[in-house]
Amino acid sequence: MTSTRYSRNEALFGEEGQHKIRNTRVAIVGLGGLGSHVAQQLVYLGVANFLLIDDDAATDSSLNRLVGAYDSDVQAGTRKTDSAARLIKLVTPNAHIRTLPVNVEAAEVGPTLKTVDVVFGCFDKDIPRLKLTELCARIAEPYFDLASDTGDDGGPTFGGRVVFSNGSGCMFCLGLVDQEELARESLAPEHRQARDRSYGISTEALEDTGPAVVSVNGAVASLAVTEFMLLVTGLGTPVPVLNYYGEKRLIRRSVDLPAPNCPYCVGLWNRGLD
Ligand SMILES: [Zn+2]
């Protein structure tokens, strides 16, 4: 019997496109509110080869947005890589899944990423984003960087953005790194607290207690997975930056051009791992 599972996909990008999706090996680094959505959408799209990287486990406060995790996972302390893997297997039992329950800084991450074709980074901090930008530049792999809640114009904003890096533009040269935040994140916890006090900022207000909403994450993940679909099927070329302005109900591609001589896109591109 001919499978009809992907017939509605193929109506958009053909059997050949579906074949390309099935043969694309994908890494998702960060399986939280954004990455769990990405995993779910990719398996429905037809991706069958996953590398899942995250050192975190399900918590009560993450159950408002952790797709594929359940109440019992909080008690059990289920790893986010395992709840994502379970979700993928329920949809496609013969999917090939590797899990790496480590931080993006771990030495084995770079070499393991060399075994995939496309990388998704789903973090809520700029330091791991830059680390993954660096690794993907060194091994010359296409990288989708997802972020939600990036409102920085002072008002109560929500939304997010997707940055696509492939050697000619990344979050660094497109000016999307928050230098203030980066300086703060790079400090040891005690120094960070002292700095926050001197700035009059409540540390608690900045530590994983900001807004994180399932539907907003889902919108950002959908943008990224659709760009991935365009890339892999050949239906289009991903744009460098897609911004989602939730309050304005707008999705807009950025027209900013990358700064020249980027240390990642030029300096480290295809230079190999240390
Ligand atoms: Zn760059």
Side-chain angles (χ1 to χ4, degrees):
M1 193 182 82
T2 311
S3 169
T4 56
R5 173 164 309 194
Y6 298 113
S7 58
R8 305 295 290 271
N9 281 1
E10 289 162 8
L12 179 62
F13 43 72
E15 268 182 57
E16 197 188 333
Q18 191 65 53
H19 189 73
K20 287 176 179 168
I21 285 172
R22 188 172 63 244
N23 287 329
T24 301
R25 299 164 300 174
V26 177
I28 308 172
V29 190
L31 273 306
L34 285 167
S36 59
H37 268 292
V38 169
Q40 175 175 250
Q41 292 196 22
L42 287 177
V43 69
Y44 281 118
L45 190 65
V47 171
N49 194 314
F50 291 85
L51 169 64
L52 308 174
I53 303 177
D54 196 317
D55 64 349
D56 209 2
T59 59
D60 192 48
S61 66
S62 64
L63 268 203
N64 72 324
R65 62 191 186 283
L66 198 57
V67 174
Y70 306 104
D71 194 59
S72 55
D73 289 318
V74 176
Q75 280 290 329
T78 307
R79 287 186 185 281
K80 291 177 180 175
T81 47
D82 291 339
S83 53
R86 182 179 60 200
L87 185 157
I88 290 165
K89 284 278 183 190
L90 283 169
V91 179
T92 302
N94 63 0
H96 183 265
I97 305 173
R98 289 171 293 160
T99 59
L100 203 55
V102 299
N103 184 279
V104 69
E105 298 283 345
E108 60 262 51
V109 172
T112 315
L113 288 177
K114 286 170 82 173
T115 65
V116 304
D117 305 302
V118 179
V119 179
F120 286 82
C122 304
F123 302 110
D124 56 5
K125 298 270 191 324
D126 277 354
I127 286 183
R129 283 195 184 101
L130 277 176
K131 179 64 186 177
L132 203 48
T133 301
E134 178 196 330
L135 291 174
C136 291
R138 284 179 177 281
I139 60 177
E141 277 187 14
Y143 172 47
F144 290 97
D145 180 79
L146 285 70
S148 61
D149 305 312
T150 57
D152 53 8
D153 54 4
T157 58
F158 66 92
R161 57 120 180 100
V162 179
V163 178
F164 176 65
S165 314
N166 202 9
S168 55
C170 68
M171 62 179 293
F172 186 83
C173 56
L174 287 161
L176 296 169
V177 179
D178 183 338
Q179 296 296 341
E180 272 281 298
E181 187 197 330
L182 200 63
R184 181 180 176 279
E185 284 176 23
S186 61
L187 295 172
E190 63 272 22
H191 294 136
R192 200 180 304 152
Q193 283 168 18
R195 178 183 188 274
D196 291 345
R197 273 196 301 274
S198 72
Y199 278 64
I201 303 167
S202 143
T203 301
E204 228 173 47
L206 293 164
E207 295 292 349
D208 299 326
T209 53
V213 178
V214 65
S215 58
V216 178
N217 287 339
V220 176
S222 291
L223 291 176
V225 173
T226 304
E227 294 294 294
F228 166 86
M229 177 196 81
L230 296 176
L231 173 75
V232 173
T233 61
L235 214 56
T237 306
V239 297
V241 186
L242 261 187
N243 288 309
Y244 166 46
Y245 302 95
E247 286 196 333
K248 298 177 190 161
R249 285 74 151 189
L250 264 182
I251 295 165
R252 211 186 266 155
R253 55 198 280 184
S254 168
V255 293
D256 293 344
L257 293 171
N261 301 318
C262 173
Y264 297 93
C265 297
V266 178
L268 290 174
W269 190 257
N270 211 7
R271 297 289 282 273
L273 302 166
D274 286 332

